[in-house]
Amino acid sequence: MQSDSADPEFKGIVKWIDRRLPIFTMLHKEYMVFPVPKNLNYFWSFGALASITLIVMILTGFFLAAQYQASTADAFNSVERIMRDVNYGWLIRYVHMNGASMFFIVVYIHIFRGLYYGSYKEPRELLWILGVVILVLMMGTAFMGYVLPWGQMSLWGATVITNLFSAFPLVGEPIVTWLWGGFSVDNPTLNRFFALHYLLPFVIFAVVFLHVAALHIPGSNNPDGIDPKGPADTVNFHPFMTSKDMIGIVVYLMVFAGLVFYAPNFLGHPDNYIPANPLQTPPHIVPEWYFLPYYAILRAFTDDWWFFQIFLGWWMDAKLAGVLAMFGSLVLLAALPWLDTSRVRSCRYRPYYKWAIAVFVINFLILGWVGGKPAEEPYVLISQLSTLYYFFHFLVLTPVLGWIERPKPLPASIGMPVSTPAE
Amino acid sequence: MAETTESSHQEDDGAGRRDFLGMLTVATAGVGGAAFMWPLISSFNPSADVLALASTEVNLDALEVGQSITVIWRGKPVFIRRRTPEEISEAENVSLDELIDPQSDEDRVENPEFLIMVGVCTHLGCVPLGQKSGETKGEFGGWFCPCHGSHYDTSGRIRKGPAPTNLPVPEYVFLNDTTVKIG
């Protein structure tokens, strides 16, 4: 199936450029004849979907920035002007707004793919960590983007999240004042968030480049989690993966368009169409849906929780504990290659860990659900139990299952997925 | 032999000096770069115009017993409540052992009738409810933060929930019986 990987023959201007800057040789090597395992399923299209979403966001973001006014007096009205008066402004903004949600949906599925098929394991640890870095950068970017329309949720979401840093002893308050450029979330804060919201996507772009470069050293993992043994186990990226990705992209764009055209505000919050008012907190502050699981972890730590009182209460307050747990939940994700002690990558051959991952996903969804509920019972108790389970999964279940689980026999090669019993 | 030793000695010496010069160059560039970062980082701190908006004067003439008003000081809401005698005695009679952040009521007021404090929850900065007549005042009759469920008593002290400290009391002076200057 593989064409020979000899250097391609170019002609004319392409040849002239390639001899001076071999980008065409590079593209040929990395995107045409690049070998990918022949058993990849549609989960492997989500990296391409995420890349496309990043480009859509940068493109629509530029055209929004060209109309937006970053001042507390004008921001809300300038967004309404984009929606009502600017040619196709409504479309550009709805694509950008829902693009953020689509980006997180795609990236969460992409991460789940990595979790289930063990894509984070040796030799792809750095690739995985770069992915977590991208996730964190995306969170920062999305958070600051949500502040820009200067609605009630913009202001109060920004207030709650920036206040997280005040939990750190001594340096906390000066850091918050520094972030705000004042004594509350106000005009200086909005200005710098706009500047950062424009800068960070390019940082993301750079890290994505490193992420892809790191991927192209070992090549893609695959549903069996075993290394390709030779050319019989792989196909060329083009046309095999490109055509498969195209199908995924068409379906993805249909879902994206469905959201934009039929339910553009479904994932947003109506309170953000009320202009920001520093004297009135909305009765129920919720972050965007993609932050809810982490928000639930943050809120789980209360003074009267037995777990907090026994293990943490004597050396930190509940607020700091919540903040550390929330950041810790992401740090644990980055540490996963070392927490998972099993040498088998794919859950296809891990009879118990497979179920542990399923429960982990359900628990993560529960965290997202309670994160959107008010801080009252039974939601507080559920968020506390779910938070404990999140950490139990990473710190206890994952290492222990790796030791005690007896994996199913691995196939001899990707080309021969059904292993025959040894004679 | 002697020559070899000498030349290798010289080479070592040269290498050591080159290393030293290299380290010196890197250190100078590093210190210079870090020094240049300072003005950039500092530019994010509150600017002179923000710092200039330091104080606010409030007239309390129209405030009846049991009523509250909210004023803006440094972009933040400041709660002023003219407390009822019951609220004052409730605040004064709490044992300090029951408090998460122990502080007596008299340390928090100039004049017990007027409780003045920054209306920003010490958990994550929401504005607690309890200023307007219809709003919930929480389990301790003071204020309740809807974001994460912190309850404050009639002295603005944290009693229940995730907030670590009492609502802060700003610097203020009574210019006369009914005018207060905050900040």
Side-chain angles (χ1 to χ4, degrees):
Chain A
M1 285 242 192
Q2 286 228 69
S3 65
D4 61 313
S5 53
D7 282 354
E9 287 289 322
F10 296 121
K11 290 194 180 74
I13 182 92
V14 174
K15 181 177 179 183
W16 188 89
I17 292 172
D18 200 69
R19 285 177 66 182
R20 287 156 182 81
L21 180 68
I23 47 173
F24 296 104
T25 298
M26 189 272 278
L27 286 173
H28 181 82
K29 183 164 164 266
E30 304 296 342
Y31 287 103
M32 301 292 280
V33 296
F34 188 73
V36 293
K38 67 181 186 181
N39 58 338
L40 297 188
N41 58 30
Y42 279 111
F43 276 120
W44 266 264
S45 290
F46 282 82
L49 299 183
S51 311
I52 285 171
T53 315
L54 178 61
I55 291 163
V56 167
M57 294 303 276
I58 289 177
L59 194 68
T60 52
F62 164 75
F63 285 97
L64 289 175
Q67 305 281 351
Y68 172 76
Q69 309 237 325
S71 87
T72 52
D74 303 322
F76 188 89
N77 290 336
S78 77
V79 172
E80 285 306 307
R81 187 183 149 268
I82 290 171
M83 292 302 289
R84 295 154 196 252
D85 295 345
V86 174
N87 297 334
Y88 295 101
W90 59 273
L91 179 65
I92 300 170
R93 174 162 178 265
Y94 275 158
V95 168
H96 196 76
M97 202 172 115
N98 287 288
S101 285
M102 293 307 291
F103 208 170
F104 276 95
I105 290 172
V106 161
V107 161
Y108 279 141
I109 295 173
H110 188 63
I111 293 170
F112 167 75
R113 194 281 320 273
L115 285 177
Y116 189 83
Y117 295 113
S119 300
Y120 48 85
K121 289 188 192 181
E122 204 270 339
R124 297 184 183 84
E125 302 96 322
L126 192 57
L127 173 61
W128 174 261
I129 289 172
L130 286 167
V132 177
V133 170
I134 294 168
L135 175 66
V136 171
L137 286 169
M138 276 175 64
M139 290 173 146
T141 309
F143 159 67
M144 286 188 246
Y146 195 59
V147 176
L148 302 184
W150 207 242
Q152 273 289 66
M153 280 296 167
S154 298
L155 170 63
W156 291 102
T159 300
V160 168
I161 300 300
T162 48
N163 260 306
L164 292 180
F165 293 93
S166 71
F168 295 103
L170 297 176
V171 294
E173 289 295 339
I175 286 178
V176 173
T177 305
W178 181 77
L179 285 173
W180 287 342
F183 304 101
S184 58
V185 175
D186 210 333
N187 205 46
T189 327
L190 180 63
N191 263 289
R192 64 190 54 181
F193 277 16
F194 180 49
L196 283 167
H197 186 70
Y198 208 110
L199 172 69
L200 286 181
F202 297 99
V203 178
I204 293 176
F205 199 89
V207 184
V208 167
F209 180 83
L210 294 178
H211 188 67
V212 173
L215 169 70
H216 278 231
I217 301 303
S220 293
N221 182 35
N222 64 79
D224 281 322
I226 55 174
D227 294 328
K229 297 284 192 291
D233 287 345
T234 61
V235 293
N236 287 344
F237 188 84
H238 181 75
F240 296 94
M241 205 57 204
T242 44
S243 53
K244 187 163 181 146
D245 280 349
M246 284 308 290
I247 297 174
I249 288 166
V250 167
V251 173
Y252 171 67
L253 291 180
M254 282 165 65
V255 175
F256 197 154
L259 200 56
V260 166
F261 292 114
Y262 292 95
N265 290 301
F266 175 68
L267 294 168
H269 202 285
D271 275 32
N272 220 30
Y273 286 105
I274 302 169
N277 176 2
L279 289 186
Q280 174 141 39
T281 307
H284 184 197
I285 297 184
V286 269
E288 287 285 81
W289 67 267
Y290 36 80
F291 291 133
L292 291 176
Y294 310 99
Y295 194 56
I297 292 175
L298 168 76
R299 294 197 303 181
F301 290 81
T302 57
D303 267 314
D304 49 3
W305 184 23
W306 59 268
F307 180 84
F308 169 75
Q309 287 181 343
I310 294 172
F311 294 103
L312 302 165
W314 45 275
W315 62 291
M316 64 172 77
D317 60 40
K319 177 170 153 183
L320 181 58
V323 170
L324 290 179
M326 190 179 74
F327 289 127
S329 66
L330 289 164
V331 172
L332 281 185
L333 196 62
L336 184 60
W338 294 275
L339 292 170
D340 187 347
T341 51
S342 172
R343 274 173 296 181
V344 174
R345 291 197 191 109
S346 173
C347 274
R348 278 193 180 171
Y349 304 100
R350 300 192 60 187
Y352 299 119
Y353 191 66
K354 172 162 73 180
W355 293 107
I357 289 289
V359 175
F360 175 79
V361 170
I362 292 167
N363 185 63
F364 195 70
L365 294 175
I366 291 174
L367 278 173
W369 169 65
V370 290
K373 295 288 176 187
E376 53 196 43
E377 296 300 348
Y379 307 118
V380 176
L381 180 66
I382 296 171
S383 70
Q384 289 170 342
L385 294 175
S386 274
T387 297
L388 280 189
Y389 187 80
Y390 184 98
F391 286 92
F392 171 79
H393 173 88
F394 279 113
L395 293 172
V396 181
L397 200 58
T398 299
V400 169
L401 269 185
W403 286 319
I404 62 172
E405 178 184 58
R406 186 192 163 106
K408 291 184 194 164
L410 293 174
S413 74
I414 292 171
M416 204 196 312
V418 182
S419 59
T420 45
E423 303 288 326
Chain B
M1 275 308 265
E3 266 177 34
T4 325
T5 320
E6 197 176 289
S7 75
S8 77
H9 176 74
Q10 273 179 349
E11 259 170 38
D12 275 1
D13 228 1
R17 281 155 76 172
R18 273 195 299 279
D19 283 351
F20 178 72
L21 284 172
M23 285 190 292
L24 208 61
T25 310
V26 170
T28 307
V31 170
F36 181 63
M37 287 309 287
W38 177 250
L40 300 181
I41 292 169
S42 178
S43 75
F44 259 39
N45 265 322
S47 53
D49 62 314
V50 171
L51 290 172
L53 300 169
S55 63
T56 306
E57 281 184 28
V58 187
N59 190 336
L60 302 174
D61 246 351
L63 197 62
E64 304 280 338
V65 172
Q67 281 187 335
S68 304
I69 54 167
T70 306
V71 297
I72 288 198
W73 170 67
R74 287 181 163 185
K76 292 179 183 185
V78 169
F79 290 171
I80 304 176
R81 184 183 282 188
R82 189 165 181 184
R83 299 189 291 184
T84 60
E86 299 84 66
E87 286 175 333
I88 296 170
S89 67
E90 203 182 315
E92 284 173 348
N93 293 334
V94 175
S95 150
L96 291 188
D97 299 340
E98 289 177 41
L99 299 172
I100 294 168
D101 179 17
Q103 197 180 17
S104 71
D105 187 59
E106 61 189 58
D107 289 343
R108 296 177 55 77
V109 288
E110 295 279 326
N111 170 354
E113 200 165 316
F114 292 103
L115 175 65
I116 301 177
M117 58 194 183
V118 177
V120 173
C121 180
T122 55
H123 181 225
L124 294 172
C126 297
V127 178
L129 300 175
Q131 284 292 91
K132 291 182 191 153
S133 56
E135 288 175 350
T136 171
K137 290 178 159 52
E139 290 176 22
F140 297 87
W143 288 264
F144 170 71
C145 183
C147 293
H148 307 99
S150 292
H151 298 256
Y152 295 93
D153 67 11
T154 55
S155 186
R157 292 171 297 199
I158 179 67
R159 300 297 289 274
K160 187 182 169 189
T165 55
N166 304 333
L167 292 178
V169 176
E171 266 181 51
Y172 63 85
V173 282
F174 279 94
L175 300 177
N176 56 50
D177 280 355
T178 56
T179 311
V180 64
K181 183 179 163 215
I182 301 167

